[in-house]
Structures are given as C-alpha cells and as structure tokens.
Amino acid sequence: MAESTTAQQAFAQHTFTGWEKPELDLSNADWRSGSHGAGDVQIAFVEGFIAMRNGGRPEAPSLIFTPAEWRAFVLNARDGEFDLT
C-alpha cells in the first residue's frame, strides 16, 4: 500500500508540459455514471470543461477535457478506436 501512495504522490507532483487547463474545483461536481450507474467511469461538466474519473476511486486524479478534446474522444470511441477485443 505504501508503494501505491508513493507512486500517487510522485504523479501528483509531476508537471505536464503544455498543460494549460485550470485546476477545477470538483468537490461539488454533479458526477454522472455511464451504463445506468453500472460502470466505473463518471463524468461531470464543470466551468466549460469535462472531467472524467474512476467512480470506484473518486479520490484519484480526474482527467480534464476541453469540449473539442471530449468530442474527439467520444467520436473515436464510437468508431471503436479504443476497443480492446
């Protein structure tokens, strides 16, 4: 468990080059689950951005997308780009 915490701390301290998205306050976000609540992926629309997180680990970092990035992600997912089968 300590190893996992250390890895999370190292990840949290990493600075991403070109990262120009704001640090959003997600504490009051209206998180919505896909698959009628059966899936682990949750999204929230906050301040013009789309946040995505693992519903099974809501304390873990969320991914933040611009509307254009979200649209590209959704279109590619619909086309099967991320299918692992």
Side-chain angles (χ1 to χ4, degrees):
M1 181 92 166
E3 183 176 313
S4 176
T5 302
T6 303
Q8 288 174 355
Q9 290 172 344
F11 180 78
Q13 293 174 357
H14 183 76
T15 302
F16 294 97
T17 304
W19 184 257
E20 297 178 10
K21 295 174 188 164
E23 288 192 31
L24 301 175
D25 179 5
L26 302 176
S27 60
N28 294 317
D30 181 19
W31 291 100
R32 300 170 186 238
S33 294
S35 306
H36 306 288
D40 284 335
V41 175
Q42 297 178 325
I43 63 168
F45 299 92
V46 181
E47 299 179 28
F49 292 89
I50 298 87
M52 183 168 58
R53 72 178 183 181
N54 178 347
R57 295 192 53 224
E59 72 283 355
S62 298
L63 299 175
I64 307 298
F65 297 91
T66 65
E69 291 169 333
W70 183 252
R71 185 178 191 294
F73 171 76
V74 170
L75 291 174
N76 288 324
R78 285 181 183 160
D79 285 344
E81 183 173 329
F82 308 113
D83 287 348
L84 301 175
T85 57

